[in-house]
Amino acid sequence: MTEPDGTVAWRSLLAEATTALDGVVASPEVDARRIVEEASGHDGPDWFRALDELVTVRAMARFDAMLARRRAGEPLQYVLGRWGFRHLDLAVDPRVLIPRPETEQVTEFALREVDRLQARRAVDLGTGSGAIALSLAVERDTLEVWATDRSPDALAVARSNLAGLGTAGTRVRLTEGSWFGALPSDLAGSIDVVVSNPPYVADADELPADVADWEPAEALRAGPAGLDDIEHIIAAAPKWLSDRGSLVIELAPDQAEPAIALAVAAGFAEAVVEPDLNGRARALVARWGPR
């Protein structure tokens, strides 16, 4: 990788990256392609046409740095600095959790409740990168969305994603604080849909190295059973929900029954747990009744 500018084509670097990642990551071909796409600035059909282009010095340096980070175990999403979530291309880095397909499905459940209620206002608690909140705003063009997070670092990432949202971003408000405590008090009783992907990993549970070593622990772990934040959100939600409003919370499959019990104890008229695309319990959907 010491050749002068303009003597190596991207096709050669693609082969080099695939070989370098073989035995290091689960999908070396996929990761190598994503790194080359990002370093070259080409993707989709343009990527195929660019494979025989010669590499500039600056692009070579970016490629080298990204490949070294991936070989060191850093998640591909952080190496690339962005990741797709539903219709969005989000900036992500170690200040926030990596958006996952399970959360895309949780967002779908929240959108279903928005449609059912013809909701005017929704809140995303613990927004992180802003994935859920910004998706709600983009996919429902009359919805007012509030997004909270207690981490100023996470909110900085969410703000960068909000800045690229366009017109839909005018309907999103970001606020710093813990759960409902970040919201103006005059919103109490007026929120149609509350959605959250809170920390829900039990303190003693083992996590894969690429999660444990890179993603923010405070956004993952929540007490001995992983239920501390879920319990708090469920207990506090009735004060903030509108009549017949809905609460949607991402959870681990083994937390389904405890979450339903917590919702019933809090006075929700209906509480079910919906599965993700793999058939595993993934989201509590609790519906408040008339006051």
Side-chain angles (χ1 to χ4, degrees), residues 16-145:
E16 177 182 325
T18 303
T19 299
L21 294 173
D22 190 27
V24 178
V25 302
S27 53
E29 296 88 356
V30 173
D31 287 29
R33 171 170 174 165
R34 292 301 303 268
I35 288 171
V36 168
E37 286 179 335
E38 186 67 25
S40 69
H42 297 284
D43 57 16
D46 288 341
W47 180 76
F48 289 101
R49 291 192 290 268
L51 281 177
D52 293 316
E53 289 182 3
L54 299 181
V55 182
T56 66
V57 169
R58 177 179 291 185
M60 177 72 81
R62 179 157 169 71
F63 168 82
D64 286 345
M66 294 172 69
L67 181 58
R69 290 168 63 189
R70 188 66 185 111
R71 280 178 54 81
E74 186 172 354
L76 178 65
Q77 295 89 338
Y78 292 157
V79 171
L80 299 175
R82 62 190 179 96
W83 200 246
F85 183 89
R86 295 181 67 85
H87 303 292
L88 302 175
D89 187 32
L90 297 171
V92 292
D93 63 34
R95 293 175 291 179
V96 296
L97 291 181
I98 294 166
R100 289 175 166 81
E102 295 87 350
T103 307
E104 294 191 38
Q105 187 63 25
V106 172
T107 305
E108 187 68 30
F109 295 136
L111 287 166
R112 184 185 66 186
E113 295 304 299
V114 166
D115 292 343
R116 184 181 69 84
L117 295 165
Q118 297 183 324
R120 297 180 300 105
R121 179 177 291 143
V123 169
D124 173 23
L125 299 176
T127 195
S129 66
I132 295 176
L134 302 187
S135 291
L136 294 179
V138 166
E139 296 185 46
R140 297 297 182 270
D141 60 12
T142 62
L143 189 66
E144 173 190 320
V145 182

Side-chain angles (χ1 to χ4, degrees), residues 7 30 32 71-72 75 118 121 151 163 201 207 214 248 255 262 270:
T7 64
V30 173
R71 280 178 54 81
Q118 297 183 324
R121 179 177 291 143
S151 166
V201 178
L207 290 168
W214 293 96
V248 180
Q255 295 167 337
L262 288 167
E270 180 183 352

Side-chain angles (χ1 to χ4, degrees), residues 188-287:
S190 72
I191 301 168
D192 299 310
V193 176
V194 172
V195 58
S196 182
N197 175 19
Y200 58 78
V201 178
D203 290 345
D205 284 356
E206 291 188 9
L207 290 168
D210 60 346
V211 176
D213 295 346
W214 293 96
E215 298 194 60
E218 64 273 16
L220 290 166
R221 298 194 180 276
L227 284 166
D228 287 7
D229 292 310
I230 291 174
E231 182 174 4
H232 174 83
I233 292 169
I234 292 173
K239 171 185 173 181
W240 296 89
L241 287 171
S242 61
D243 289 347
R244 303 186 183 279
S246 294
L247 173 65
V248 180
I249 303 180
E250 183 169 335
L251 43 68
D254 62 354
Q255 295 167 337
E257 291 186 10
I260 289 175
L262 288 167
V264 171
F268 282 88
E270 180 183 352
V272 298
V273 171
E274 299 283 2
D276 60 24
L277 295 177
N278 292 314
R280 297 171 297 186
R282 185 57 62 188
L284 172 73
V285 178
R287 295 169 175 167

